[in-house]
Amino acid sequence: MDIISPQNTRVKEWAQLLEKKYRDRQQRYLVEGIHLVQEALKADAGIEVIAYSLDHGIPPELAEAGAGKVSMEWVGVSEAVIAKCTDTKSPQPVFAVIGKQRSSWEALIEQNNSLVVVLDGVQDPGNVGTIIRTADAAGASGVIVGPGCADIYNPKTLRSTMGSVFHLPVVEGDLTELLPKAKEKGIRLAGTSLQAARICYEYDFRGPTWLLFGSEASGLSAAVQAELDDALIIPMRGGAESLNVGMAASILLYEALRQREFAGR
């Protein structure tokens, strides 16, 4: 049934998902735009509702990707409803309500020769999303998001992933619990430090390796720093004092990809 009024009870519940406390309470989240909804459809990400603009109709790409999926609902809505349920100034004519699907960091520990990104207090949603996207592009096994990081399901985080959040495991975890368990399995924990003596291009990323990245302001927390096996430095020849955490993650991930896939060719 079409929904016109932004005061509709369902619309109010959907709009609440723009806030983390309601995402946690409802165990659902929103994605906005044709591309993200299409990626969620392709990944069978647990879409409950696709709300589309009555003025524009169902986008053909989504109609094709959603063909035969009977577990979700299509709802035509007004532009006022779309505006209420999205956080962009010029919202796209479609959004989806998706149920959270639980993934386990234990599976990443058990994976052979894993390459995992671990985030510790990375607070900017754009940085978290960019790192998830880069991890996907570089063929990483997954991303673990620790306490103090931007919410995975923040609309800005999701937009920054460009759909990569649906391509690899992205899980939340207590780093003080899981990092020691990873080390027990023989996984090396490496991270960047301006005080490190070892250049990242001299490091061997070919074995099971987890890459740890800390907050934009202060780096890794003391508790996580204590678990680090190898501190690496990214050489800088210009006048910059440091790199954005997303850029640092990109450099290490692609060096790992180079060593694992292209070394010796």
Side-chain angles (χ1 to χ4, degrees):
M1 187 175 77
D2 298 342
I3 301 177
I4 305 299
S5 172
Q7 301 307 315
N8 178 279
T9 301
R10 296 187 75 190
V11 173
K12 289 181 179 179
E13 287 184 355
W14 297 340
Q16 287 179 339
L17 298 175
L18 295 173
E19 299 182 46
K20 185 179 186 304
K21 66 179 179 180
Y22 293 110
R23 292 194 291 269
D24 292 343
R25 187 177 301 171
Q26 294 188 34
Q27 288 298 296
R28 300 190 297 173
Y29 62 99
L30 294 172
V31 297
E32 173 192 343
I34 293 173
H35 176 71
L36 280 179
V37 176
Q38 186 177 28
E39 291 299 309
L41 281 168
K42 290 178 180 177
D44 289 324
I47 294 178
E48 298 176 5
V49 178
I50 295 180
Y52 62 92
S53 165
L54 287 167
D55 291 346
H56 294 83
I58 298 174
E61 311 95 304
L62 301 188
E64 180 180 352
K69 298 182 186 294
V70 297
S71 60
M72 66 188 184
E73 180 183 5
W74 296 85
V75 179
V77 298
S78 66
E79 296 297 319
V81 170
I82 289 177
K84 187 178 181 71
C85 296
T86 56
D87 74 336
T88 54
K89 291 182 179 179
S90 300
Q92 295 192 50
V94 64
F95 66 88
V97 180
I98 304 179
K100 290 185 180 180
Q101 296 182 331
R102 292 295 180 185
S103 298
S104 169
W105 51 262
E106 287 90 344
L108 293 175
I109 289 179
E110 297 298 329
Q111 185 171 334
N112 290 330
N113 203 32
S114 62
L115 177 66
V116 173
V117 174
V118 180
L119 304 183
D120 175 32
V122 179
Q123 299 177 343
D124 182 79
N127 282 336
V128 172
T130 295
I131 292 170
I132 291 170
R133 183 179 179 184
T134 306
D136 176 25
S141 308
V143 177
I144 298 173
V145 179
C149 290
D151 184 20
I152 299 167
Y153 304 104
N154 180 305
K156 293 179 181 178
T157 305
L158 291 168
R159 283 197 297 274
S160 295
T161 73
M162 288 296 291
S164 286
V165 70
F166 302 118
H167 301 164
L168 76 172
V170 181
V171 301
E172 298 172 318
D174 182 345
L175 304 188
T176 59
E177 175 188 359
L178 65 91
L179 292 180
K181 292 184 178 180
K183 293 176 74 168
E184 290 174 5
K185 288 288 187 177
I187 295 168
R188 301 290 296 181
L189 306 182
T192 57
S193 171
L194 293 174
Q195 288 74 47
R198 195 168 188 181
I199 295 174
C200 64
Y201 301 121
E202 300 172 346
Y203 188 71
D204 188 351
F205 291 96
R206 292 173 297 177
T209 308
W210 287 16
L211 303 176
L212 280 53
F213 299 97
S215 75
E216 296 85 350
S218 54
L220 295 171
S221 63
V224 171
Q225 184 83 36
E227 298 292 341
L228 203 64
D229 292 310
D230 304 295
L232 310 176
I233 190 168
I234 298 172
M236 293 181 287
R237 295 294 180 257
E241 294 182 357
S242 63
L243 290 172
N244 170 280
V245 65
M247 291 298 298
S250 297
I251 290 169
L252 265 59
L253 280 164
Y254 270 88
E255 175 60 16
L257 174 63
R258 185 193 69 79
Q259 291 185 19
R260 288 171 171 234
E261 301 290 340
F262 301 102
R265 292 190 181 184

